[in-house]
């Protein structure tokens, strides 16, 4: 933090990402340093996502609460975000699934609504896995 703005700095204090952001959901501590793989920083209502090395990944008006990319590097799925009481998947191109769901697995492959489970395919279609209607 510098002048009440957030950025991303090296261990020596050199900024990799300039301190121009208003907010982040990351509470940094030395013990978490090796575990951070996604750093969201907010500026003017937009979330900018960076790797722990300060590499820009994408920006969106959606705040991801979980990052999918570390699970599947070839994947187009970027992260999971909350929309009210439901969840959705944010893709690398900024798009989302057509519907929100009650639950999404951490790898973004399985979603749930009510007692019904669905697979999320690579082409972003959602097909039944188990329906209990």
């Amino acid at each position: 933090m510098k002048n009440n703005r957030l950025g991303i700095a090296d261990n020596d204090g050199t900024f990799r990402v300039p301190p121009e952001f208003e907010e982040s959901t990351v509470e940094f501590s030395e013990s978490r340093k090796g575990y951070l793989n996604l750093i969201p920083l907010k500026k003017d209502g937009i979330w900018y996502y960076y790797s722990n090395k300060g590499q820009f990944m994408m920006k969106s008006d959606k705040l991801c609460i979980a990052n999918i990319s570390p699970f599947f590097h070839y994947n187009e799925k970027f992260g999971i975000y909350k929309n009210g009481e439901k969840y959705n998947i944010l893709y690398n191109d900024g798009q989302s699934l057509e519907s929100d769901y009650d639950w999404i697995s951490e790898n973004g492959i399985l979603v749930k609504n009510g007692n019904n489970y669905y697979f999320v395919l690579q082409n972003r279609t959602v097909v039944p896995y188990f329906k209990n209607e």
Side-chain angles (χ1 to χ4, degrees):
M1 181 174 273
K2 184 176 181 181
N3 298 327
N4 290 327
R5 295 288 182 181
L6 299 167
I8 300 174
D10 283 336
N11 288 336
D12 65 3
T14 303
F15 280 98
R16 287 184 174 243
V17 177
E20 56 188 34
F21 297 90
E22 306 149 0
E23 182 181 348
S24 179
T25 58
V26 173
E27 291 192 30
F28 179 77
S29 69
E30 280 296 320
S31 63
R32 294 187 64 212
K33 187 160 81 174
Y35 298 100
L36 294 174
N37 60 11
L38 180 69
I39 301 173
L41 297 167
K42 187 176 183 182
K43 178 172 70 172
D44 299 327
I46 300 294
W47 289 98
Y48 294 78
Y49 294 95
Y50 291 89
S51 72
N52 58 1
K53 304 248 187 283
Q55 179 184 8
F56 176 74
M57 298 168 80
M58 74 173 300
K59 67 181 182 176
S60 174
D61 62 345
K62 315 262 188 297
L63 172 60
C64 289
I65 57 173
N67 181 235
I68 296 174
S69 296
F71 294 103
F72 302 104
H73 296 288
Y74 62 85
N75 202 339
E76 294 181 347
K77 297 172 187 168
F78 181 78
I80 298 169
Y81 68 91
K82 195 166 184 182
N83 190 15
E85 295 299 315
K86 300 259 186 175
Y87 298 89
N88 205 319
I89 295 174
L90 178 66
Y91 286 83
N92 290 329
D93 64 4
Q95 300 297 313
S96 300
L97 293 174
E98 288 185 20
S99 300
D100 296 331
Y101 295 89
D102 295 335
W103 172 85
I104 298 178
S105 64
E106 66 182 10
N107 58 13
I109 292 175
L110 201 60
V111 297
K112 176 185 175 194
N113 257 347
N115 292 324
N116 302 318
Y117 289 85
Y118 306 87
F119 280 120
V120 179
L121 305 180
Q122 285 293 33
N123 65 1
R124 303 180 193 190
T125 57
V126 179
V127 297
Y129 168 65
F130 173 79
K131 292 189 88 168
N132 186 22
E133 299 185 270

